[in-house]
Structure formats: C-alpha cells, structure tokens
C-alpha cells in the first residue's frame, strides 16, 4: 500500500532518486514515502520543484516546499531540494495546461540531469489516470491517446516512473491523514476553465457514485489501449518496410493495397517521424480519400512540411525559405484557438501575426457567433464561398480568381467552433458565415448584436 513503494521492475531503488514535488497532496505523500524508504536503504533523495510563474502564490509554494524538505531532513535522511523558475507567459488562446506541462517536464529533466538522477518519480494515481483516459476520449483520441499515462517510460536519458498509477486516490488520502502531512492547495484546481477540473469537480463525483469501479476499470481500459497502440505501432513499422521507396517516399499503389485503416496507420507513423509532429485525424482522413483517386497534388502539412504526390510516390518535404513570410511557421504544430470577445487586436505569435477585429455596419459576422475561433494551416481541399449567390469553390481556385499571389496564400485559415470556415487571409470572410445583414440572414447570423469584420495582419518584419 501507500506506506511502502512498489518495487521498480523488481529492482531496489537506485542510489539516487528524484521526486517531482509540486507541494500538492499527492507528491507530498510520495516524497514522504520515498524519504522513509530511502533512509532505510541509504538512497539519496532529491525533491524537484517547478515554479511556473503563473500563480501569485507560486513563491509561497516554493518556500513551503523548501521548508518541508528542511524539516524532514532534520528528522532523518536528507532531502536535497531543487527548484526551477519558468516565468511562463502563454499567448492568448494557447493551452496554458499544455504549455505548462511541456515546460515542466523539460525543467524536471534539466534538474534531474544536473543532480545526476536517472529516475524521476511522479505522484499520479488511479483517478488521475482515469481522468486522462476520459479527457482523451472526449477529444476523440485513438489508441495512442487513450493509452493515457505509462507507468514508466524512458525519455531523454531519464526513467519517468509513476509508482502509484494503479493506487486509488483514497489510499493516498489515507496516507496523508495517517502521517498528518500538510500540503499546498493550487487555487487553479478549482477553475472551471480547465477541462480536467470540470471533469474532476462536476462529472467525477456523479460518475463514481453510479460506477464505483470507474477509476479501476478506466485504468484497465487505458492498459488495453496501451497494448493496442503498441500493436498498431509494430504493424505500421512492418508496413512501412513494404511501402517505402529508396528515396524515403512511399509507393502509393502499395499504400492503397494495405486498405484504408492500415494506410492511415502507416501514414500516421511516417508523417510523425518525418516531420516531428503528429498528424491530425482530419489530415489522415483527407489523405486516405485523395490517395484513392491517384491524382497528382500537393498538400500543406502543419509545421511547414509539404506532401507531394508525384509519379505514384508520396513525398514529404520541408518547405524552403523561398516561400518567404507566407510559409507556415515551424512552431505551428496544432490548430491555435483564440477567444474573440470584442473588437480589437488578437495576437497569434506562433503564426507571426494576429487577427484585427473591427465592428462593421454590414457584411461582417455576428460577434456572438465567434467566441472561440481556430487558426489552422491549409491542408488542401478546402472550399470557400466568395459572395452570396455564387457557389463554394476550391480555395485554390478562389485564390487564382482573386489574383492572390502564391506567397500570400499560407496565412492561417480561421474556423468557428463548429468547424465552419469563417475567414481566409487575402480573400476575406466566407459568404456562408456572413449571411445577409438586411434580413433573410443565415439563422445563426440573426442576433441583433454587433457585427464584426476580420483582417489577418502579419507582424511587421523586424
Ligand atoms: N510544479 C511542479 N513541480 C514539480 N512536480 C510537479 C509540479 N506539478 C506537477 N508535478 C508532478 O506531476 C504530478 C501530477 O501533476 P498534477 O498537476 O496532477 O499535480 P498537483 O495538482 O500539482 O499536485 P499533487 O499531484 O502533488 O497533488 C505531481 O504529483 C507531481 O509529481
């Protein structure tokens, strides 16, 4: 149980162990458990704390964690406390959780390397795992996402372990009570802005009453997904051997012969490994549909990579600097969300520009229908309607008709929360989103409120 740590693959603790110590309840309990065990085993313990710079209380948390380690050190084996300050300033619309998580793991890895620790323990428990599984399911994830968190994984020369991943949250709570451990409360854990908090505070209480085994069985489902993801990866690697051509491209005939699910599976691996970024489900769907037609074509993939279909071969190429300012910047790995809640300037630094939103008398979109919008790269195949009464046509065609030069065609496409294309730099608002402001408008456009126009502006070259 929580009073003793599970073994690590049957081995004793290594001579040096690090615990990722936020000062919260779970990592306080884990650090305490490791400290008690380490004293008996003569293991050197390091507590690694990351100060994200996001909360006004972060200084106090760091001081409290440091003081806690000092107190325990006086009573037994020493705990070496390390802290790293990040000072994150996420751009508007960016996922604070995702940015903080990525920066946190990088800081933990740096600290662990600096003190010579190859094992870092994280205090996630069974409910954390179940929540991760559900959140992934609610995002429409496949096997790799549903696999949630691994109990242990080697990354960057460090073994990241979650020894309590199968332990019920209640067991950790009981441990904390038994040893009367004080801990910090992160006020952001109560904010409904974060999906995990909404799930934890609003959904989980009802779910666990209706399904008392929820945490346990969802953890089991995550382990099934881990197996499935491993099998899919092995299959993709085997298939890649059969479809790869000597120059690194893929044989389209051989791809087609695999059938659609295996074709998407192998493309997912090839695109991820080739570009360093995961391919979206939408891109994979589009590609598998277009490859079945055997037409030459070029598609822009996120992060500045381009896919070309030539002479029966699919090639992945990095777009050159020759594309100029219009090229999709390398840092755009995923669609970027912006919350448009009024007129003004909404910067999108990852795209080296921003959206100007202005109130207009007629011809704009109702402000109330905007809310969250998504900035996405062109993937190819989009349809755009230039004016009411004209048919929607391929975006490429519309650019040609409007005389938009090639270098100006790679700005972000702006979509609304339902996935409707709203705005294209160089072309303006899609007529389907505008409706008719004199009456007879599209139903969603009639609200009697403010109407706004959108303009994409690249940042001035420095
Ligand atoms: N700021 C941080 N510094 C060091 N480790 C952290 C930090 N935030 C999270 N971790 C590690 O990641 C685990 C899971 O993170 P999560 O955000 O769920 O935890 P928490 O709410 O900060 O607190 P806890 O899990 O300790 O109750 C933590 O248990 C801890 O091991």
């Amino acid at each position: 149980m929580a009073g003793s740590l599970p073994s690590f693959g049957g081995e004793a603790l290594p001579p040096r162990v690090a615990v990722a110590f936020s000062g919260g309840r779970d990592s306080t309990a884990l650090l305490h458990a490791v400290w008690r065990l380490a004293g008996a085993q003569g293991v050197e313990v390091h507590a690694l704390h990351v100060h994200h710079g996001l909360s006004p209380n972060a200084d106090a948390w760091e001081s409290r964690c440091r003081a806690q380690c000092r107190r325990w050190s006086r009573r037994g084996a020493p705990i070496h406390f390390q802290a790293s300050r990040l000072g994150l300033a996420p751009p508007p619309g960016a996922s604070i959780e995702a940015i903080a998580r990525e920066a946190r793991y990088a800081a933990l890895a740096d600290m662990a390397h600096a003190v010579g620790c190859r094992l870092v323990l994280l205090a996630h428990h069974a409910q954390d795992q179940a929540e991760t599984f559900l959140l992934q399911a609610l995002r429409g994830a496949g096997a790799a996402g549903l696999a949630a968190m691994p109990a242990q994984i080697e990354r960057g020369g460090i073994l990241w372990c979650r020894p309590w991943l199968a332990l019920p949250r209640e067991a950790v709570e009981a441990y904390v009570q038994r040893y009367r451990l004080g801990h910090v409360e992160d006020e952001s854990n109560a904010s409904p802005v974060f999906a995990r908090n909404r799930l934890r505070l609003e959904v989980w209480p009802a779910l666990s009453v209706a399904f008392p085994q929820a945490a346990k069985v969802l953890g089991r489902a995550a382990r099934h997904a881990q197996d499935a993801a491993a099998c899919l990866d092995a299959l993709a690697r085997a298939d890649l051997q059969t479809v790869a051509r000597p120059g690194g491209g893929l044989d389209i005939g051989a791809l087609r012969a695999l059938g659609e699910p295996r074709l998407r599976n192998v493309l997912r691996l090839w695109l991820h490994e080739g570009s360093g970024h995961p391919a979206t489900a939408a891109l994979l769907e589009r590609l598998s549909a277009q490859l079945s037609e055997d037409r030459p074509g070029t598609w822009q993939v996120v992060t500045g990579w381009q896919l070309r279909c030539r002479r029966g071969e699919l090639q992945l190429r990095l777009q050159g600097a020759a594309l100029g300012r219009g090229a999709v910047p390398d840092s755009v790995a995923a669609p970027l969300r912006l919350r448009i809640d009024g007129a003004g300037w909404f910067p999108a630094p990852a795209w080296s520009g921003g959206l100007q939103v202005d109130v207009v008398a007629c011809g704009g979109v109702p402000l109330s229908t905007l809310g969250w919008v998504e900035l996405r790269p062109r993937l190819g195949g989009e349809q755009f309607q230039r004016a009411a009464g004209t048919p929607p046509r391929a975006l490429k065609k519309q650019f040609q008709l409007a005389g938009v030069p090639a270098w100006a065609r790679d700005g972000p496409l702006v979509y609304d929360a339902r996935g409707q294309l709203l705005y294209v730099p160089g072309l303006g608002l899609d007529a389907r989103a505008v409706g008719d402001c004199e009456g007879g408008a599209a139903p969603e456009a009639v609200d009697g409120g403010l109407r706004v126009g959108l303009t994409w502006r690249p940042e001035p070259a420095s």
Side-chain angles (χ1 to χ4, degrees):
M1 223 288 304
S4 61
L5 277 171
S7 63
F8 299 94
E11 295 161 23
L13 286 172
R16 262 184 217 146
V17 178
V19 176
F21 178 41
S22 67
R25 183 195 57 206
D26 307 331
S27 55
T28 299
L30 182 61
L31 180 60
H32 184 264
V34 170
W35 168 69
R36 290 177 59 235
L37 199 67
Q41 291 189 14
V43 169
E44 189 177 302
V45 183
H46 292 262
L48 311 181
H49 178 81
V50 179
H51 179 307
H52 294 103
L54 293 172
S55 164
N57 300 319
D59 287 351
W61 297 337
E62 185 189 315
S63 307
R64 206 172 150 171
C65 290
R66 188 187 300 276
Q68 177 71 281
C69 291
R70 253 196 231 120
R71 266 198 307 279
W72 284 341
S73 297
R74 280 199 292 269
R75 286 175 26 209
I79 299 179
H80 306 272
F81 181 78
Q82 323 286 332
S84 171
R85 294 197 165 210
L86 301 180
L88 293 176
S95 160
I96 298 175
E97 283 168 299
I99 289 177
R101 190 183 320 112
E102 196 175 318
R104 178 166 67 245
Y105 279 104
L108 288 170
D110 286 350
M111 287 190 281
H113 280 301
V115 296
C117 269
R118 282 205 59 253
L119 175 65
V120 178
L121 307 182
L122 301 150
H124 298 98
H125 49 63
Q127 187 181 319
D128 294 325
Q129 180 74 330
E131 287 168 2
T132 304
F133 177 89
L134 285 175
L135 287 169
Q136 288 290 345
L138 290 167
R139 284 180 197 130
L146 297 176
M149 296 179 281
Q152 62 179 61
I153 189 166
E154 172 108 38
R155 283 250 169 88
I158 287 175
L159 187 61
W160 303 89
C161 265
R162 298 182 173 91
W164 286 354
L165 201 55
L167 199 70
R169 189 198 66 201
E170 295 75 16
V172 181
E173 280 169 358
Y175 183 94
V176 166
Q177 276 177 13
R178 176 173 169 205
Y179 290 97
R180 297 192 191 163
L181 303 178
H183 56 87
V184 302
E185 289 291 350
D186 181 344
E187 75 285 345
S188 75
N189 286 343
S191 165
V193 168
F194 301 112
R196 185 177 289 272
N197 293 346
R198 293 199 298 278
L199 181 67
R200 186 174 291 170
L201 302 173
E202 293 165 27
V203 180
W204 191 264
L207 185 71
S208 55
V209 168
F211 301 93
Q213 299 294 311
K216 193 170 164 192
V217 295
L218 290 171
R220 196 185 307 148
R223 286 196 298 282
H224 288 314
Q226 284 168 8
D227 284 353
C231 292
L232 287 173
D233 185 66
L235 180 65
R237 286 178 197 285
D239 282 344
L240 200 49
Q241 302 288 321
T242 67
V243 299
R245 283 191 174 173
L250 303 184
D251 184 308
I252 293 175
L255 272 175
R256 266 201 244 116
L258 293 175
E260 289 212 1
R262 276 169 72 177
L263 177 150
R264 281 194 290 273
N265 189 43
V266 74
L267 281 181
R268 186 182 295 116
L269 174 74
W270 181 69
L271 286 169
H272 194 171
E273 296 206 332
S275 71
H277 294 274
T280 62
L283 174 65
L284 291 171
E285 287 290 338
R286 183 173 303 285
L287 273 176
S288 70
Q290 296 206 355
L291 287 177
S292 66
E293 291 171 14
D294 198 15
R295 281 188 290 144
T298 304
W299 304 274
Q300 196 151 359
V301 191
V302 286
T303 72
W305 291 83
Q306 204 175 51
L307 270 177
R308 291 197 312 182
C309 196
R310 295 268 157 84
R311 287 183 227 101
E313 184 172 323
L314 189 65
Q315 300 159 346
L316 179 66
R317 293 178 182 270
L318 190 57
Q319 286 175 292
L323 279 171
R325 294 187 54 79
V328 178
D330 281 0
S331 54
V332 179
L336 175 69
R337 297 178 83 211
L338 290 181
R339 178 149 186 86
I340 308 288
D341 52 6
W345 170 246
F346 295 84
W351 279 92
S352 306
L355 269 183
Q356 178 65 41
V357 179
D358 295 305
V359 175
V360 293
C362 187
V365 289
L367 179 63
S368 58
T369 62
L370 288 177
W372 285 105
V373 299
E374 249 188 20
L375 272 51
R376 303 185 196 163
R378 268 178 79 196
L379 299 176
E382 291 89 354
Q383 298 269 312
F384 182 83
Q385 186 175 351
R386 289 199 71 192
T390 65
R393 306 176 82 152
L395 188 54
K396 189 175 164 195
K397 189 85 191 154
Q398 301 282 33
F399 278 133
Q400 286 165 353
L401 289 171
V404 178
W407 56 263
R409 295 180 186 177
D410 289 312
L413 307 187
V414 182
Y415 289 79
D416 71 13
R418 295 162 306 165
Q420 160 72 48
L421 181 58
L422 285 176
Y423 172 81
V424 175
L427 291 177
L429 290 167
D430 189 301
R432 291 166 296 184
V434 174
D436 175 0
C437 61
E438 300 297 329
E444 68 277 19
V446 183
D447 70 347
L450 287 178
R451 302 180 74 89
V452 291
L454 306 179
T455 313
W456 172 254
R457 296 234 180 93
E459 274 164 9
S462 49

